[in-house]
Amino acid sequence: MGKAKSFLLGFTFGSVAAASAVLLSTPKAGKQFRTTLKDKVGEMSASVDDIKNAVNQAKENINDLKTKGMPLVRTTVNDVKELVDTWKSQVQPHLGKLLQDSKSLGEETKRIPITRSIDD
């Protein structure tokens, strides 16, 4: 049994039990008691219907999200992959030169004499 059905079933039985306990514990005449009981059952039925409608609406929203959202996510992932691949292909030719320049710069900095100021 699904979680929504279990919840609705528990909610319904709990509501009926609570309403019955309240109604049975209050002193009223038979006709007045039946009228009150009938009204309360109608209210609970309306509440259960509202909950069912809310659950059904939530299910529809989830299905819409799955059918409309997942293709959008897939498209976005593919677009990002393409952008990364394009970036890599544009950077790759320059990577060797950048590494060489970095190495040369490191060698040149080693040749710079280190001087200390008098304040040190």
Side-chain angles (χ1 to χ4, degrees):
M1 185 181 307
K3 288 183 181 182
K5 283 185 180 181
S6 293
F7 173 77
L8 287 175
L9 193 59
F11 179 79
T12 302
F13 285 125
S15 298
V16 169
S20 299
V22 168
L23 290 174
L24 293 174
S25 65
T26 57
K28 292 185 180 181
K31 187 173 186 174
Q32 186 181 10
F33 174 75
R34 286 189 297 274
T35 303
T36 305
L37 182 61
K38 186 177 178 183
D39 292 343
K40 294 296 178 185
V41 168
E43 289 173 17
M44 286 188 296
S45 177
S47 294
V48 169
D49 288 342
D50 290 343
I51 291 171
K52 283 182 184 177
N53 290 337
V55 168
N56 287 335
Q57 185 63 44
K59 285 180 182 178
E60 288 177 22
N61 290 343
I62 289 169
N63 286 333
D64 283 348
L65 180 62
K66 284 187 340 190
T67 57
K68 294 176 184 173
M70 289 308 292
L72 181 61
V73 168
R74 285 187 190 106
T75 301
T76 303
V77 167
N78 289 335
D79 289 348
V80 169
K81 283 181 182 178
E82 275 185 37
L83 288 171
V84 168
D85 289 342
T86 302
W87 177 78
K88 282 181 180 179
S89 68
Q90 291 174 349
V91 169
Q92 192 65 37
H94 304 287
L95 190 58
K97 174 116 173 73
L98 286 171
L99 291 173
Q100 184 181 4
D101 290 347
S102 173
K103 187 177 179 182
S104 297
L105 185 61
E107 291 171 0
E108 287 181 29
T109 56
K110 288 179 186 176
R111 286 189 243 145
I112 298 174
I114 299 175
T115 58
R116 293 185 179 209
S117 66
I118 299 174
D119 296 334
D120 285 345

